[in-house]
Amino acid sequence: MKIKIVAAAVLILAVSFLVACSGEKTEPTTVPSTKQKTTAESTTLSVTATTVPVTRPIMQGEEIMMVKPSEDSAMPETTKKVTEPMVTVAGNVYSDTAVERIKGKYGVVISEYKNIYFQIVGGQRVDVGSEITNYYYNRSGYKATYEELLPAAKENRNKYSAYISEILKILNGYRAEKGLAPLKLNEKLTVMSCVRAEEIAWSGVQGHKRPDGRNCFSIYSEAGFDEGTAGENLGYGFWKPEEVCLAWKNSKTHYNNIIDPRFTTIGIGVAADPDEDGKLVWATHFLSE
């Protein structure tokens, strides 16, 4: 396989402002209450991307990686603590805190925290309700192959089809401003992008290295793309296509991928983080023909 890959950099978006590689601050469009990030990568390689690392390093000190919790930090199976009683019309109400472990996808374990409310009636405990208070995601056991990620990727391709179409329209608008031909949406590449977004969403690994440590461009060979010039733009925490596209445009390295005249086709992927906020992961993959 001969995939050529072209530059490297990382962009971090905070809640209140955008920090571009130049250090300039610009006010963003509507932003959620969580941190947003975008990352872009490409470089030039003439050998198999799955075995040779990127030769041009990411800009020092700018990449943010999600730290996965260790097994030692995992919460206990169950905990119980009787709180002080709450006086209600029906009498004293107490609560226990219970933790239930739920097996998520790809080896991720989800712990669901509940307050279980009860009363003592005739010397017996009577549960009167419950409330989910929090979730804890242990991603340290994440492991998934391309084939295992594929079904969810295909579902996301359909679920987020409107977002995918909007991103394509916006990015091609940026290219039109430079007098460049529009990128063609490649269906096979789009499914690959959805696989990439899905693995980022569930593993929590948000950089250009994949969860198993391989370079991000190894996914091209897994999807059956054997040669060409390739690039990857990523985004995390944006709720709308126009928000992540504007952030990419305002970053030199991301924008360079978008307007690179060598790129003729694009794959666009979206996936939701499994946490309760459902923060979205955005992935675009560029390829020359």
Side-chain angles (χ1 to χ4, degrees):
M1 169 184 156
K2 293 182 180 179
I3 287 287
K4 293 181 182 178
I5 310 159
V6 284
V10 174
L11 171 69
I12 305 168
L13 285 87
V15 174
S16 58
F17 57 83
L18 173 68
V19 182
C21 294
S22 64
E24 297 176 356
K25 298 180 181 179
T26 57
E27 293 296 327
T29 55
T30 304
V31 295
S33 59
T34 56
K35 286 187 177 180
Q36 301 170 328
K37 308 168 191 172
T38 65
T39 61
E41 180 156 332
S42 50
T43 192
T44 302
L45 295 178
S46 58
V47 291
T48 305
T50 54
T51 58
V52 177
V54 174
T55 56
R56 183 174 176 182
I58 292 171
M59 294 182 68
Q60 186 175 4
E62 290 198 350
E63 185 164 14
I64 296 295
M65 298 292 290
M66 177 70 74
V67 178
K68 295 186 289 185
S70 65
E71 290 293 344
D72 294 338
S73 66
M75 299 297 179
E77 291 289 344
T78 58
T79 59
K80 285 189 176 182
K81 179 181 179 182
V82 178
T83 64
E84 291 297 320
M86 298 178 292
V87 179
T88 68
V89 175
N92 292 342
V93 177
Y94 305 85
S95 70
D96 282 348
T97 299
V99 181
E100 179 182 359
R101 287 202 166 191
I102 306 166
K103 183 70 177 293
K105 293 193 291 185
Y106 320 124
V108 175
V109 176
I110 305 170
S111 295
E112 182 181 79
Y113 287 74
K114 286 184 179 181
N115 282 342
I116 301 175
Y117 301 103
F118 65 95
Q119 293 179 303
I120 304 299
V121 180
Q124 300 293 319
R125 170 176 168 150
V126 178
D127 291 346
V128 295
S130 65
E131 177 186 19
I132 297 174
T133 59
N134 201 7
Y135 292 92
Y136 174 80
Y137 297 81
N138 188 337
R139 304 175 194 254
S140 61
Y142 173 87
K143 187 177 181 181
T145 65
Y146 189 94
E147 289 72 24
E148 290 168 340
L149 293 161
L150 201 54
K154 291 179 178 179
E155 289 179 9
N156 287 336
R157 167 65 181 97
N158 294 326
K159 180 178 180 179
Y160 297 108
S161 60
Y163 282 179
I164 290 170
S165 296
E166 184 65 18
I167 288 175
L168 179 66
K169 178 182 177 181
I170 294 171
L171 297 189
N172 277 335
Y174 297 160
R175 287 176 67 89
E177 292 170 357
K178 295 293 184 180
L180 298 171
L183 296 166
K184 298 176 183 178
L185 187 70
N186 182 294
E187 188 60 31
K188 185 178 177 181
L189 196 60
T190 292
V191 172
M192 185 199 83
S193 294
C194 287
V195 168
R196 181 79 172 107
E198 179 78 358
E199 75 175 7
I200 293 170
W202 279 86
S203 70
V205 179
Q206 297 167 17
H208 291 294
K209 280 193 175 180
R210 300 179 68 191
D212 60 6
R214 288 182 296 160
N215 185 276
C216 62
F217 297 104
S218 63
I219 200 168
Y220 280 87
S221 61
E222 290 183 300
F225 295 99
D226 296 326
E227 59 184 53
T229 300
E232 176 181 85
N233 280 2
L234 300 176
Y236 179 80
F238 299 86
W239 296 109
K240 298 177 181 179
E242 55 266 32
E243 293 174 355
V244 69
C245 287
L246 181 60
W248 285 333
K249 185 179 184 181
N250 288 338
S251 165
K252 182 178 179 180
T253 50
H254 301 76
Y255 187 57
N256 284 346
N257 274 349
I258 294 168
I259 63 170
D260 192 321
R262 292 172 294 180
F263 294 142
T264 55
T265 61
I266 188 173
I268 302 169
V270 187
D273 191 297
D275 72 19
E276 61 271 26
D277 293 330
K279 292 181 286 292
L280 293 178
V281 176
W282 310 80
T284 53
H285 291 87
F286 305 90
L287 191 64
S288 64
E289 291 181 338

